[in-house]
Amino acid sequence: MLFLQLTLLAVLLPGGYNEDKNVPPIFFRLLLISSFANQTWPQNQGSAWLDELQTPGWDGESGTIIFLRPWSKSNFSEEELRDLELLFQMYFTGFTREVQDHVHTMQFEYPLEIQVSAGCEVHSNETPQGFFHVAYGGTNFLSFQNSSWVPSPEGGSMAQNVCNLINQYQGIRDTVRWLIRHTCPRFILGLLAAGKMDLQRQVKPQAWISSSPTASLDRLLLVCHVNGFHPKPVWVVWMQGKQEPPGTKQGDFLPNADGTWYLWVSLDVAREDAVGLSCQVRHSSLGGQHIIIYWGHHVSMNLIPLAVIAPLILLIGLVLWFKKRW
Ligand SMILES: *[C@@H]1O[C@H](CO)[C@@H](O)[C@H](O)[C@H]1NC(C)=O
Ligand SMILES: *[C@@H]1O[C@H](CO)[C@@H](O)[C@H](O)[C@H]1NC(C)=O
Ligand SMILES: *[C@@H]1O[C@H](CO)[C@@H](O)[C@H](O)[C@H]1NC(C)=O
């Protein structure tokens, strides 16, 4: 928790984006997923991610890269991008055939799924580091270290056999080494520079509270919604005076289509304890000003008189009506 707050603080502080050691590294990774239902049914999917932002995508039908943002091409030339596209086409077809040819000798079993996570990570001011991990059936299987394939402990003898096989392909090893050591670092640095405006833009959150009854009549479920903010780090808490009440729960960060985020934090509270509760939001876009919304503020101002008056009018009406009838 403390660590989380430290990293958050580092990101929230102006200028702390790159210099601070506590800032987590930024990853650029390709996720390549190959599923084989059986010998004749291979399916390949590919996408590229800058941390949690999808940048280029892969159209499996046409075998082309899709550029999802104006800066998704980094500073690569059209020619360089076409070469990469060709390389991925070769990877998908060659890899598919290789798996199909070796399924039995390597003791794979259908249906099988192979996931590749490859790319590079940038720590503040250091040269980006490349990585290439392969998972089989959802667990680590092998990875690329230095300039050869190394089995993961979880992969057992099966992974060892696969490494023995693919380590024979010197050309592929050289290509992979070049891609993660040279191409990827250049791509991610270019991407961060080209997308800087977009990546570091500050968008203020909107916040509101909703309530719903719970299973027990004397309790309330209050939900503080925070939406449309960028960047992702945000601090949302329920407060009762200066204390954080127990019973809060946080949802997952959900992405909006425009790259901003949505988050909810709920609070399960006894009805009589709900008075004076507030939801507080801190975010780098707010420049040190917090958003504070009080539960029931508007409700108590406007609805309670109405809630009292409406039955009263009804009651008077009824009394008058009965008087008339009798
Ligand atoms: C292979 O799997 C696909 C998808 O599950 C299925 O439609 C197809 O009939 C299977 N083919 C064979 C030869 O089993
Ligand atoms: C990687 O290669 C370097 C030099 O090429 C060597 O010094 C180092 O021990 C190697 N590391 C591993 C894990 O093989
Ligand atoms: C692209 O940007 C990277 C990182 O800023 C730089 O090293 C490289 O020289 C630039 N140009 C090309 C053509 O890659």
Side-chain angles (χ1 to χ4, degrees), residues 74-77 80 185-191 193:
S74 179
N75 61 354
F76 279 32
S77 67
E80 227 171 341
R186 215 156 48 79
F187 194 76
I188 189 175
L189 292 178
L191 209 55

Side-chain angles (χ1 to χ4, degrees), residues 145-148 150 177 181:
Q145 305 288 344
N146 248 355
S147 55
S148 54
V150 178
R177 187 181 158 91
R181 284 263 183 117

Side-chain angles (χ1 to χ4, degrees), residues 36-41:
F36 299 77
N38 50 45
Q39 182 71 15
T40 52
W41 201 270

